[in-house]
Amino acid sequence: MRATVLGAGSWGTALASLLAGKGYTVTSWDKDAAVLDDIARNHRNERYLPGLQLPPTLHASGEVAKALEGAELVVLAVPSHAVRPVVIEAKRHVHAGTPIVCVAKGIELDTLMTMTEVVEDVLPVPLHPYLAVLSGPSFAKEVAKGLPTAVTVAARWERIAKQVQDAFHTKTFRPYTSGDVVGCEVGGCVKNVVAIAAGISDGMGFGANAMAALVTRGLAEITRLAVRKGANPLTLSGLAGLGDLVLTCSSDLSRNRTVGRGLAAGKTADAIQRELGQVAEGVRNARSARELAKRLGVDMPITEAIYRVLYEGLAPREAVTALMMRETKPEL
Ligand SMILES: NC(=O)c1ccc[n+]([C@@H]2O[C@H](COP(=O)([O-])OP(=O)(O)OC[C@H]3O[C@@H](n4cnc5c(N)ncnc54)[C@H](O)[C@@H]3O)[C@@H](O)[C@H]2O)c1
């Protein structure tokens, strides 16, 4: 099997390494020539996964046409804001029948489309049935180390979900299939916004009660948005919903949680992201998720509060008070 991974950051490289470790011939492509050079020459990616030795069957190319030559599986692992330009660049070189696995998590700011909606907007219709989403609780660092991980692979066409499941399945990486593409996408994207809230809560020393409330009420608003977009509510209690939410809210490996902790310490989102040197999707997606919720008439108070902290200068403590003082109502 020949696979191409577009995006050689943390997640792209962890997945490329997994596939190459199965004996597949894998090519990573990225706009960052230094990262590609490190992969090609040293079989390492010190910028994004320091200390990790990559398999010799993982190659690198900065030319999209060359990288996609003969690809039987394409993985789209750039940040959400780069998905449209990357797919525009790649589309001439992807053939019908090749599964395209989107692992980017986000809602496009201008169009409020999910990532597969963006990809479908760019790709010709005959390629649409071959699209899949891989999502769930999966920190790149842990997958790269071969630690046990379970994820969801969703595709409209069961055959494609199964094909992608088989391609990624190893003794430490277990994908489950699903037909609920939109449920997986909304779960994977909005949990990053709730993780910022979790980081703020922890940073302010609010304790375990507050964290449990945030995860639970966060899941409630994620589910409302997903269902409004046509998702099965049960998807949101699975790996791509609750699973990913718990992971992102509770671990210090989460960049979005780190953003929240930084905000609680009085830093700006820009400064925190500069320190991170990597994407924290929740910052951009607080804006797009909030816009989408407004457009669809869905109540998302935690997302709204995080949006106001990030973009309107609301003090994190005031945001928490505003959430607690909302009009009282039944839980369900
Ligand atoms: N890191 C994780 O553990 C993880 C897990 C699951 C999903 N994701 C999702 O995967 C996506 C990528 O995240 P990441 O952690 O790998 O990000 P990252 O910041 O580690 O790397 C992003 C990579 O994309 C490249 N890139 C950016 N814009 C590009 C463009 N226009 N053309 C070509 N390459 C471009 C960068 O050079 C970089 O190599 C995000 O949507 C993220 O939410 C990440």
Side-chain angles (χ1 to χ4, degrees), residues 6-15 29-33 35 45 47-49 76-83 85-86 89 103-106 115 134-143 188 191-192 244 247 253 255-256 277-282 285:
L6 304 173
S10 324
W11 196 213
T13 303
L15 292 174
W29 171 88
D30 201 280
K31 63 167 191 193
D32 189 332
V35 163
N45 184 344
R47 162 96 166 82
Y48 289 106
L49 290 173
L76 198 48
V78 290
S80 58
H81 64 271
V83 164
V86 165
E89 200 174 340
V103 302
K105 294 173 173 173
M115 291 300 103
L134 185 151
S135 192
S138 48
F139 283 136
K141 271 188 191 156
E142 295 191 3
V143 171
K191 58 94 196 183
N192 284 328
D244 210 359
L247 179 83
L253 281 181
R255 294 175 210 158
N256 293 288
Q278 283 173 280
V279 284
E281 291 278 21
N285 284 304

